[in-house]
Amino acid sequence: MLEISNLTHVYGSGPGAHHALGGVDLKVAQGELVCIVGPSGCGKSTLLRSIAGLLHPTGGTVTLGGKPVERTPDDLAVVFQDYSRSLFPWMSVGDNVALPLRRKGMDRPRRREAATEALEQVGLAGAEGKYPWQLSGGMQQRVSIARALAYRPALMLMDEPFGSVDAQTREDLEDLTLRVRSHHDMTILLITHDIDESVYVGDRVVVLSKAPATVVGDLRVDLPGPRDQITTRENPEFVHLRAEVGRLVRGMRDDPGAAS
Amino acid sequence: MLEISNLTHVYGSGPGAHHALGGVDLKVAQGELVCIVGPSGCGKSTLLRSIAGLLHPTGGTVTLGGKPVERTPDDLAVVFQDYSRSLFPWMSVGDNVALPLRRKGMDRPRRREAATEALEQVGLAGAEGKYPWQLSGGMQQRVSIARALAYRPALMLMDEPFGSVDAQTREDLEDLTLRVRSHHDMTILLITHDIDESVYVGDRVVVLSKAPATVVGDLRVDLPGPRDQITTRENPEFVHLRAEVGRLVRGMRDDPGAAS
Amino acid sequence: GSEPADTAQASGGGGLEKAEITIGALPIPDSAALYIANKRGFFKEEGLTVNIETVQGGAQAQQSLMGGSLDATQTNYVSTFLAVSAGNKLKIVADLYQATPNSFNIMVPKDSPIKTPADLKGKKIAVNSKRNIGTLSVTSVLKAHGLTEQDVTFLEFPFPDMAGKLQQGVVDAAWMTEPHLTAVQKNIGAQKLADTMTGPTADFPIAGVVVTEEFLAKHPKTVAAFQRGLAKAQQISASDRKAVEEILPTYTKIDAATAAVITLGSFPTSLDETRLQRVSDLMVEQGYLKSAIPAKTILPDSNG
Amino acid sequence: MTGRSLFDNRLLCGAIGVAGLFCLAELAGRTGLIDPIVFPLASSVVGRAVGLAADVDFLADVASTLGAWAVGLLLTVLIAVPVGFLLGTLPWVETSLRPVLEFLRPIPSVALIPLALLLFSDRFDMKVAVIVYAAWWPVLINTMYGLKDVDPLAKETLRSFGFGPMAVLWRVSLPSTAPFIATGVRLAAAIALILAISAELLAGGSSGIGTFILEAGSSPDALEYTVAATIWAGAIGVISNSLFTLAERRLFHWHLARTEGAR
Amino acid sequence: MRFLRALGRLWLVPVVLVAWEVATRAAEDVFFPPPTTIVARMHEMWFSGPAERLWLTDAALENIPTSVGRLFVGWLLASVIGIVLGVMLGRSALLSRFIDPLIQFGRAIPPPALLPLFLALFSIGAQMQIVTITSGIIWPILLNAGDGARHVDRQHLETSTVFGLSRSQRLFWVILPSAMPKIFAGLRLSLSLALILMVISELVGSVNGIGFQLLDAQRSYDLPGVWGTIVVLGVLGYLLNSAFLVAERRVLSWHRGANRTT
Ligand SMILES: Nc1ncnc2c1ncn2[C@@H]1O[C@H](COP(=O)(O)OP(=O)(O)OP(=O)(O)O)[C@@H](O)[C@H]1O
Ligand SMILES: Nc1ncnc2c1ncn2[C@@H]1O[C@H](COP(=O)(O)OP(=O)(O)OP(=O)(O)O)[C@@H](O)[C@H]1O
Ligand SMILES: [Mg+2]
Ligand SMILES: [Mg+2]
């Protein structure tokens, strides 16, 4: 479904230029959930923004469903890393979630209903009428997840979506994501720093090197489904994979030579 | 050093009022590092903002060094949860870190030097000249940590300071915090969602209930120092404490009655 | 009200081309006859409705004339000649006001060292508008005393501000007219230095009513009706000072008491080519006009 | 505590401020610092201004000025905001038009009104045109600067959900620029009032505050009348500004909530 | 290369000029002379002087520099007072409660109406004219600075509180930079307003300046002269604005960078 080949991106120009992506190759099949991990500042968000068509990479191509991505593709949802800035302060939480649904041609009551349902799913029942700035950080993050989930996109891009919530809520959201994905046949790219999480939710874990980022590891996660927070995490395969990913991430950091 | 007694806070008034803090009692001794965990939206940031004097709680008292906190205490540093909005976009990263040092009466070269050093410590060597909006999320978070560390405050309040960085960097930052703390005799309050982290860095772990928040657990962490990412985490006491904290956090979530 | 209400629209009396016109007037004694005519129904008798609008000065009013928001306007003759020389096609259809002794004086502060117009050399003189009647008449006084325009500095101030400027010493003398002349004597004890309407400017024509050539050509009957109505009022103004005193407070902020004591100009009852020619000649003499404009060219051909 | 609550009363504080200025002005007149011949005493001016409230003709003048002001301001906003958006979002249009716009901006009303007199046969139209010409600049410029201040992430969020540029403009750029535009409108409101009066002053007419001042010019007390009418203009400014501020507070409470606080 | 690009931005100017010429020639209205006539008159008025004085005539040397000088002084004064007062009002609710009505009052008063007061308070000439300019153009700066200072991102203020920044540090490093985009909008507005006020200030009791020349031309029915003065004002406005934008680009570079989208 998604094909990225030799993607490079340089921020700025001249001596102050920063090579963020150094030739990323990646293929994602329809319905897959791919986790991307990599050191902080390596270029994960840059990669995601290129896929979303929000940034014109300086080199390489991104094709989605066979067509090159030049502008933002249809039927896409993004959970931004900086969730607080991606919510509109002039709208209530309910309206924030319902707004994208206009694109789906839903009428007002149906939009409302869908928003309420999505907010309930992320544990924010009854918060529709509040404004984003009346919510805690974790709650804001969940609103932006709810907004993406309610949209039911074909492709969902999530940039550290569960970073600001407590452990229990995080697990719930992970399971929610898995559930929604299998119900609606979404393709999901999920950036995370939590190695356990990447193995737990991912069908594949892609490891990026530090900048300029390239793919240094692409592990298939062959864990039996449906996954479960307790049994899956006890599975020896899980433990093995997680150590493997950990080693890759750490390796990249210690040996910058491997990146190029 | 810090004494909080029966702290309550209500946001808004009338039927839409939200009881965030429901009588929090907490004592922190000089030089202690106390971790605070609790469900998302329970009132952790509210508590921290009351201590920093940024918010006038509706009830109860906060005293620092014997004196009630009415305005922002001296010699305090905060790493905000919403780090990206707490950096000044009109200043370079170096200036952002160096700005508070003016208060310490440092001259320009010394401020610069201190900023460079702090940035190096968080793994951002060479980023002084960039602007915050040229950095990735995790890098911005590290800048705000560097700013707080360079300031060497007597009391440091950190609101999920390591949420946006990769696992390896996170461990480095944890160790850095511990090191700086013991070198400069800081008192630190650290809010986190990572239970492992709370046990690893904390002298004590305080668990808050869901809103209205009260203290439902206050565990002393008796792990041998200096701590070490590998050996400490293998210590049976660590494993026991972490399970204990996990149980408390989860318990609070399932049984809201326990909160009052 | 300026719709080009077209020709043969027989409304009211006499089949006027346009039964309602808008005329601009300044809130000064000069335009008294217009208001008298309106109040006493002289225009109505001719089948004409006249709306009088206040204007700030001749120049803007002439522009309103061109733009069509006014059909006719009161204006002073100096402005008219200047406008005509600049290529505007205007016609004077009625005379309104003419100077009399002591209606336009140069005033100096109470204890001024300036005793005669000759002392004005190198001094500052306030006028309400440069390159207009004020400067023209003051210059002719200066000439009579051996000075030229270059020997003094003219500064522009509105009439109401002049008392203060004299008091502050910002200007050494001020060219003023009524009711400010009376007020400045009363309030700050200013003294008359010279009457500017003597000699070459004695009985000098001041103001009249103009329309555009085009308007006159299209609405000859309307203009004639207007002239007839105004002439009656002008007659009254010329012969009955009381009538003028009564009308003044209704369209200016001059109260009855002041109206009773101020010096008024005279209200000529006919348009006179030779008198108007004096304005043009004086303007040429002082360089306001490059060449003389025959007064005949700005008067209607047939004085109906 | 009572002192505090006293000072919380906007109306009272404002009244104290106004009274203070009044006393200062009166004092300056009484002590001869400002000669009452040169500039009338505050008390006589205020007396005159209060007296005008009972003058039916003057009230009609005020109403006439306010009519042109309201229509002019409304048109200003309707024109300037869309044009501001056009210039603010399409840089090439802005750079092309800039020389012409910047050339037009400094043309003063004294030069403009005579031209407007030539072009408009209706006085009301003329006033409105002059008002719009002078008052649209602050709205235009503030709109353009406000657009530069929109959080790019907010725009990207909407774009990522597949919304087109118009939707982004309408749903993100407009609301987040609105407080900036509001400041411009408040500026424009005062300029529009000034221009309405100036147009009446320069062009005359049958009613309006400016025409009133024009007529007062023939009075021996002309200065007092003029200043009294000016006080009315100022008072209208204060009232209209309060209304705008009130409206802003209601409309942009989200903006206040995010920015008020820590003092 | 940069020069060429700058020229490219001016493409509309010749288009407008030609259209203007054609339209006015067709209309043949004395009040709307064609640009060529205006330029000829401008040349005669200002640019027909001796070569060693850059062809400037006495009139140009006497009027343009004095006017522009007063304009700059007035604008600088307005900027300083406007920013200082605006920030004070924006940051102090108490002060703004007392003074705000006065400001709203002053804002709505037509500058010509204030002339008598200034004439009473200040000696005629440059001083009075500068005061007129300053008082007329201060409002956009004051209002924008006030709004900018009032609406600083809460998190930024809290950060500076927490790190104990002194009042002046907070002002110079946090409040001012964050209000800067709004302040610049105000400064830019007031710069061309300053040209307008310059003209107004020269209408009463003055003996030189561009406004004086405008009035003089109006009085003598010298319509090409009137238009020529307007053109000079427009060109001055364009030049001042261009210089201003260069300065703004430097000061607000962070702002453009931070708010750029692709
Ligand atoms: N607008 C920009 N201008 C210049 N450099 C930029 C810009 N945005 C990002 N960069 C640089 O590009 C690199 C990659 O940034 P990116 O945000 O993609 O990292 P990331 O992998 O998402 O990191 P994190 O996990 O910390 O969010 C960083 O080093 C950053 O400094
Ligand atoms: N300005 C506000 N107005 C109204 N309610 C608020 C406001 N700020 C916070 N709250 C409410 O107070 C509660 C506690 O918020 P707080 O930010 O302290 O939570 P938190 O424990 O930090 O959560 P998180 O871990 O998600 O950051 C939340 O339910 C939130 O909705
Ligand atoms: Mg990122
Ligand atoms: Mg929080």
Side-chain angles (χ1 to χ4, degrees):
Chain A
M1 183 205 195
L2 175 70
E3 228 181 298
I4 298 167
S5 68
N6 196 27
L7 197 72
T8 57
H9 188 70
V10 185
Y11 282 107
S13 58
H18 179 85
H19 289 254
L21 300 179
V24 174
D25 293 291
L26 186 66
K27 275 203 182 100
V28 180
Q30 169 75 30
E32 242 183 339
L33 197 166
V34 176
C35 287
I36 298 173
V37 296
S40 169
C42 72
K44 302 180 293 296
S45 300
T46 307
L47 173 64
L48 185 136
R49 289 159 53 79
S50 316
I51 299 172
L54 296 173
L55 178 147
H56 293 285
T58 47
T61 53
V62 180
T63 55
L64 191 66
K67 275 181 284 178
V69 171
E70 265 156 10
R71 38 193 2 272
T72 307
D74 269 348
D75 227 4
L76 169 88
V78 181
V79 178
F80 286 95
Q81 184 172 16
D82 206 348
Y83 50 85
S84 75
R85 276 174 52 206
S86 93
L87 296 177
F88 305 123
W90 51 86
M91 285 182 192
S92 70
V93 165
D95 289 343
N96 261 288
V97 176
L99 175 61
L101 303 179
R102 287 169 176 270
R103 284 270 303 166
K104 300 256 162 178
M106 290 189 188
D107 58 9
R108 207 181 150 79
R110 279 197 48 223
R111 286 204 302 269
R112 249 183 215 214
E113 198 183 303
T116 311
E117 189 196 322
L119 283 170
E120 251 164 42
Q121 286 179 329
V122 298
L124 288 176
E128 295 94 332
K130 297 202 171 185
Y131 283 86
W133 33 271
Q134 294 180 317
L135 301 184
S136 78
M139 291 160 90
Q140 288 178 23
Q141 190 169 40
R142 282 182 276 158
V143 173
S144 81
I145 296 170
R147 178 167 63 183
L149 288 179
Y151 192 64
R152 309 225 182 289
L155 175 64
M156 173 124 92
L157 307 174
M158 306 174 96
D159 201 346
E160 294 182 45
F162 314 131
S164 300
V165 296
D166 58 291
Q168 172 72 50
T169 308
R170 184 171 193 139
E171 290 174 6
D172 294 349
L173 291 173
E174 285 165 8
D175 290 338
L176 174 67
T177 309
L178 288 175
R179 239 178 13 251
V180 171
R181 193 264 308 234
S182 57
H183 267 298
H184 297 95
D185 192 32
M186 281 180 201
T187 312
I188 301 184
L189 244 78
L190 190 151
I191 296 175
T192 179
H193 284 311
D194 188 327
I195 294 170
D196 283 27
E197 181 173 275
S198 72
V199 176
Y200 176 72
V201 297
D203 297 326
R204 269 162 66 200
V205 178
V206 172
V207 184
L208 294 187
S209 71
K210 59 184 273 191
T214 50
V215 175
V216 288
D218 190 343
L219 291 86
R220 177 147 302 278
V221 181
D222 271 326
L223 288 169
R227 299 190 189 176
D228 171 83
Q229 291 287 355
I230 296 171
T231 51
T232 304
R233 285 183 200 255
E234 278 168 352
N235 191 314
E237 172 71 7
F238 177 90
V239 179
H240 163 74
L241 277 168
R242 145 184 151 179
E244 182 81 18
V245 174
R247 217 169 312 122
L248 277 167
V249 174
R250 257 156 250 247
M252 281 318 93
R253 246 181 130 259
D254 298 339
D255 176 16
S260 53
Chain B
M1 185 201 194
L2 174 71
E3 228 181 296
I4 298 167
S5 68
N6 197 26
L7 197 72
T8 57
H9 188 70
V10 184
Y11 284 106
S13 58
H18 180 85
H19 289 254
L21 300 179
V24 173
D25 293 291
L26 186 66
K27 274 201 184 100
V28 180
Q30 169 76 31
E32 241 183 342
L33 197 167
V34 176
C35 287
I36 298 174
V37 296
S40 170
C42 74
K44 302 179 294 295
S45 300
T46 305
L47 174 64
L48 186 136
R49 288 160 53 81
S50 316
I51 300 172
L54 295 173
L55 177 147
H56 292 284
T58 46
T61 55
V62 180
T63 56
L64 191 67
K67 275 181 285 179
V69 171
E70 264 157 8
R71 40 196 358 275
T72 306
D74 272 348
D75 227 5
L76 170 85
V78 180
V79 178
F80 286 97
Q81 183 171 18
D82 204 349
Y83 51 85
S84 74
R85 277 177 51 209
S86 94
L87 297 176
F88 302 121
W90 47 86
M91 287 181 199
S92 71
V93 165
D95 289 343
N96 261 289
V97 176
L99 177 63
L101 302 179
R102 289 169 175 269
R103 274 272 298 172
K104 301 257 162 180
M106 290 188 190
D107 57 9
R108 207 182 150 81
R110 283 199 41 223
R111 287 204 301 269
R112 248 184 215 212
E113 198 183 303
T116 311
E117 191 196 321
L119 284 170
E120 252 165 40
Q121 285 179 329
V122 298
L124 288 175
E128 294 92 334
K130 296 202 171 185
Y131 283 89
W133 34 270
Q134 294 180 314
L135 301 183
S136 76
M139 292 161 89
Q140 289 178 20
Q141 189 170 41
R142 282 182 276 158
V143 173
S144 81
I145 296 171
R147 178 168 65 182
L149 289 179
Y151 190 63
R152 307 225 185 287
L155 176 64
M156 174 124 94
L157 307 174
M158 306 174 93
D159 200 346
E160 293 182 45
F162 314 131
S164 299
V165 295
D166 59 292
Q168 172 71 50
T169 308
R170 184 171 193 138
E171 289 174 6
D172 294 349
L173 291 174
E174 286 165 6
D175 290 339
L176 174 67
T177 308
L178 288 175
R179 240 180 9 254
V180 171
R181 194 265 306 235
S182 57
H183 267 298
H184 297 96
D185 192 31
M186 281 181 202
T187 311
I188 300 182
L189 244 79
L190 190 152
I191 295 175
T192 177
H193 284 311
D194 188 327
I195 294 170
D196 283 27
E197 181 174 274
S198 71
V199 176
Y200 176 72
V201 297
D203 298 324
R204 269 162 66 200
V205 178
V206 172
V207 183
L208 294 186
S209 72
K210 60 184 272 192
T214 48
V215 176
V216 289
D218 188 344
L219 291 87
R220 178 148 299 279
V221 181
D222 271 326
L223 289 168
R227 300 187 187 178
D228 169 85
Q229 292 286 356
I230 295 170
T231 53
T232 303
R233 286 182 200 254
E234 278 168 351
N235 190 312
E237 174 69 7
F238 178 90
V239 178
H240 163 73
L241 277 168
R242 146 186 151 178
E244 182 81 19
V245 174
R247 219 166 315 118
L248 277 167
V249 173
R250 257 156 250 246
M252 281 318 95
R253 240 180 136 263
D254 297 340
D255 175 15
S260 53
Chain C
S2 58
E3 294 83 58
D6 260 322
T7 42
Q9 179 200 15
S11 61
L16 300 184
E17 300 88 352
K18 197 172 176 189
E20 182 169 350
I21 61 167
T22 308
I23 178 166
L26 278 78
I28 50 177
D30 308 25
S31 47
L34 281 172
Y35 289 90
I36 290 177
N38 225 8
K39 192 166 170 226
R40 304 207 176 177
F42 296 157
F43 291 133
K44 274 274 173 308
E45 285 166 17
E46 303 290 340
L48 190 63
T49 307
V50 175
N51 302 314
I52 308 182
E53 287 198 351
T54 313
V55 294
Q56 191 233 10
Q60 275 84 11
Q62 281 162 16
Q63 243 134 16
S64 304
L65 220 54
M66 304 292 165
S69 55
L70 290 180
D71 299 313
T73 185
Q74 170 196 355
T75 172
N76 76 56
Y77 292 125
V78 177
S79 298
T80 312
F81 278 106
L82 284 173
V84 169
S85 79
N88 290 298
K89 300 196 163 39
L90 297 175
K91 291 281 182 190
I92 299 174
V93 296
D95 200 355
L96 282 178
Y97 203 61
Q98 182 173 313
T100 53
N102 289 324
S103 52
F104 297 88
N105 292 348
I106 303 178
M107 303 300 289
V108 291
K110 197 160 46 185
D111 312 310
S112 174
I114 302 171
K115 301 294 179 210
T116 79
D119 296 340
L120 283 172
K121 193 173 165 66
K123 301 292 186 197
K124 298 195 191 100
I125 305 174
V127 290
N128 70 323
S129 171
K130 290 211 202 186
R131 285 188 84 75
N132 217 304
I133 291 200
T135 47
L136 192 75
S137 63
V138 171
T139 305
S140 81
V141 171
L142 292 176
K143 279 199 170 153
H145 289 82
L147 298 178
T148 66
E149 196 173 353
Q150 274 66 46
D151 289 322
V152 297
T153 312
F154 287 114
L155 293 181
E156 258 195 51
F157 287 104
F159 283 128
D161 289 2
M162 287 182 185
K165 299 306 116 188
L166 278 177
Q167 176 95 331
Q168 277 180 310
V170 171
V171 292
D172 304 293
W175 178 81
M176 303 177 82
T177 180
E178 294 288 14
H180 306 284
L181 265 180
T182 309
V184 77
Q185 288 170 20
K186 196 177 92 198
N187 291 342
I188 66 165
Q191 313 255 315
K192 168 186 160 189
L193 178 72
D195 182 352
T196 56
M197 297 301 170
T198 54
T201 49
D203 297 331
F204 204 66
I206 303 292
V209 176
V210 295
V211 297
T212 59
E213 221 174 81
E214 189 191 353
F215 184 86
L216 181 61
K218 274 196 187 155
H219 310 90
K221 287 187 186 146
T222 307
V223 171
F226 172 79
Q227 285 173 323
R228 284 193 299 273
L230 184 63
K232 284 186 211 162
Q234 197 74 2
Q235 201 77 51
I236 291 174
S237 314
S239 54
D240 180 8
R241 183 180 158 109
K242 273 274 168 297
V244 178
E245 281 175 22
E246 263 166 34
I247 200 80
L248 274 181
T250 65
Y251 72 96
T252 69
K253 292 273 183 301
I254 301 174
D255 53 43
T258 311
V261 297
I262 58 176
T263 310
L264 290 175
S266 63
F267 298 86
T269 49
S270 68
L271 262 177
D272 186 280
E273 188 186 324
T274 41
R275 251 186 305 143
L276 278 182
Q277 193 62 47
R278 287 176 61 201
V279 179
S280 166
D281 293 346
L282 190 64
M283 287 174 75
V284 174
E285 185 190 323
Q286 295 196 11
Y288 284 51
L289 294 177
K290 291 206 179 70
S291 59
I293 297 174
K296 198 163 71 187
T297 57
I298 57 171
L299 289 172
D301 307 324
S302 56
N303 229 353
Chain D
M1 216 47 221
T2 48
R4 225 199 130 68
S5 59
L6 263 183
F7 287 150
D8 282 346
N9 188 331
R10 293 193 82 85
L11 225 60
L12 185 75
C13 291
I16 293 175
V18 172
L21 181 75
F22 174 81
C23 291
L24 269 181
E26 181 74 14
L27 214 67
R30 296 263 175 218
T31 55
L33 187 70
I34 302 178
D35 191 331
I37 293 285
V38 180
F39 197 81
L41 277 180
S43 50
S44 49
V45 168
V46 171
R48 187 77 71 177
V50 172
L52 286 178
D55 182 341
V56 183
D57 289 343
F58 180 72
L59 293 182
D61 285 336
V62 172
S64 152
T65 303
L66 282 183
W69 171 79
V71 174
L73 192 60
L74 189 72
L75 268 179
T76 301
V77 175
L78 289 182
I79 297 173
V81 173
V83 175
F85 268 80
L86 190 75
L87 297 187
T89 44
L90 300 176
W92 67 269
V93 178
E94 203 255 344
T95 40
S96 306
L97 282 181
R98 196 188 295 152
V100 177
L101 288 178
E102 294 307 330
F103 179 87
L104 292 176
R105 214 140 64 85
I107 296 180
S109 48
V110 276
L112 198 69
I113 292 169
L115 292 179
L117 283 176
L118 287 170
L119 293 175
F120 292 91
S121 64
D122 187 277
R123 243 179 240 290
F124 186 80
D125 292 353
M126 187 278 292
K127 267 200 256 182
V128 169
V130 169
I131 289 173
V132 172
Y133 183 89
W136 87 309
W137 302 113
V139 184
L140 182 77
I141 300 257
N142 267 36
T143 305
M144 282 162 61
Y145 277 71
L147 281 174
K148 291 190 206 159
D149 215 26
V150 179
D151 190 332
L153 194 66
K155 287 192 268 187
E156 288 182 349
T157 301
L158 215 60
R159 273 166 55 194
S160 72
F161 282 108
F163 284 85
M166 283 318 286
V168 173
L169 221 59
W170 175 245
R171 297 193 183 280
V172 178
S173 300
L174 185 65
S176 57
T177 312
F180 235 115
I181 299 177
T183 308
V185 172
R186 277 197 288 141
L187 275 168
I191 293 181
L193 186 61
I194 289 176
L195 260 288
I197 296 176
S198 305
E200 290 159 358
L201 251 175
L202 278 172
S206 45
S207 63
I209 298 177
T211 313
F212 173 86
I213 295 176
L214 209 59
E215 281 165 11
S218 64
S219 160
D221 298 330
L223 260 181
E224 230 172 86
Y225 276 112
T226 309
V227 181
T230 310
I231 286 186
W232 274 75
I236 294 171
V238 174
I239 293 169
S240 76
N241 188 71
S242 316
L243 293 180
F244 278 117
T245 313
L246 223 69
E248 275 177 47
R249 274 175 190 272
R250 304 211 90 190
L251 284 171
F252 309 138
H253 63 104
W254 57 270
H255 185 56
L256 294 174
R258 269 160 47 102
T259 53
E260 264 176 4
R263 279 269 145 100
Chain E
M1 203 40 226
R2 279 182 63 177
F3 178 73
L4 278 181
R5 230 179 309 147
L7 267 186
R9 282 198 212 114
L10 293 174
W11 65 269
L12 196 60
V13 177
V15 175
V16 170
L17 279 178
V18 168
W20 186 6
E21 180 83 31
V22 169
T24 45
R25 281 200 186 282
E28 278 187 13
D29 188 329
V30 285
F31 288 99
F32 295 94
T36 41
T37 314
I38 297 171
V39 169
R41 179 76 182 103
M42 285 172 72
H43 173 79
E44 183 190 334
M45 277 201 291
W46 292 305
F47 306 115
S48 54
E52 66 269 22
R53 285 198 324 210
L54 291 168
W55 294 279
L56 292 170
T57 59
D58 288 338
L61 285 174
E62 188 193 342
N63 294 308
I64 298 178
T66 38
S67 281
V68 173
R70 292 191 284 242
L71 175 148
F72 271 122
V73 177
W75 185 65
L76 286 179
L77 264 178
S79 310
V80 172
I81 301 173
I83 293 173
V84 169
L85 201 63
V87 170
M88 269 163 59
L89 288 173
R91 295 313 308 165
S92 161
L94 192 64
L95 187 69
S96 92
R97 253 180 245 137
F98 278 102
I99 304 196
D100 193 58
L102 294 184
I103 287 182
Q104 306 312 334
F105 183 85
R107 217 152 64 74
I109 291 182
L114 282 175
L115 281 176
L117 179 63
F118 294 147
L119 284 168
L121 286 172
F122 305 96
S123 67
I124 192 165
Q127 204 185 21
M128 191 279 288
Q129 281 156 346
I130 288 167
V131 173
T132 307
I133 295 176
T134 303
S135 68
I137 65 171
I138 198 171
W139 312 114
I141 309 177
L142 189 77
L143 241 71
N144 271 323
D147 277 14
R150 201 173 350 257
H151 301 304
V152 177
D153 191 315
R154 188 193 189 118
Q155 185 93 63
H156 288 156
L157 286 177
E158 291 187 345
T159 303
S160 50
T161 309
V162 154
F163 285 102
L165 294 193
S166 68
R167 291 178 80 90
S168 68
Q169 285 167 353
R170 196 178 150 102
L171 177 68
F172 284 111
W173 298 102
V174 182
I175 294 171
L176 275 182
S178 123
M180 236 6 130
K182 272 204 165 182
I183 291 178
F184 266 84
L187 288 177
R188 183 164 165 198
L189 269 170
S190 65
L191 190 58
S192 38
L193 266 186
L195 275 163
I196 294 179
L197 265 289
M198 176 192 86
V199 169
I200 289 179
S201 75
E202 288 168 356
L203 292 185
V204 169
S206 84
V207 289
N208 58 11
I210 301 175
F212 171 78
Q213 283 214 312
L214 175 69
L215 197 68
D216 203 43
Q218 275 182 346
R219 292 276 182 262
S220 351
Y221 288 83
D222 171 12
L223 286 159
V226 171
W227 280 97
T229 327
I230 293 178
V231 168
V232 164
L233 286 173
V235 171
L236 267 178
Y238 175 72
L239 292 179
L240 288 176
N241 184 71
S242 304
F244 179 84
L245 286 181
V246 170
E248 176 189 290
R249 206 159 292 158
R250 308 204 89 191
V251 178
L252 290 186
S253 60
W254 65 269
H255 191 249
R256 291 197 307 151
N259 290 331
R260 186 162 33 215
T261 44
T262 39

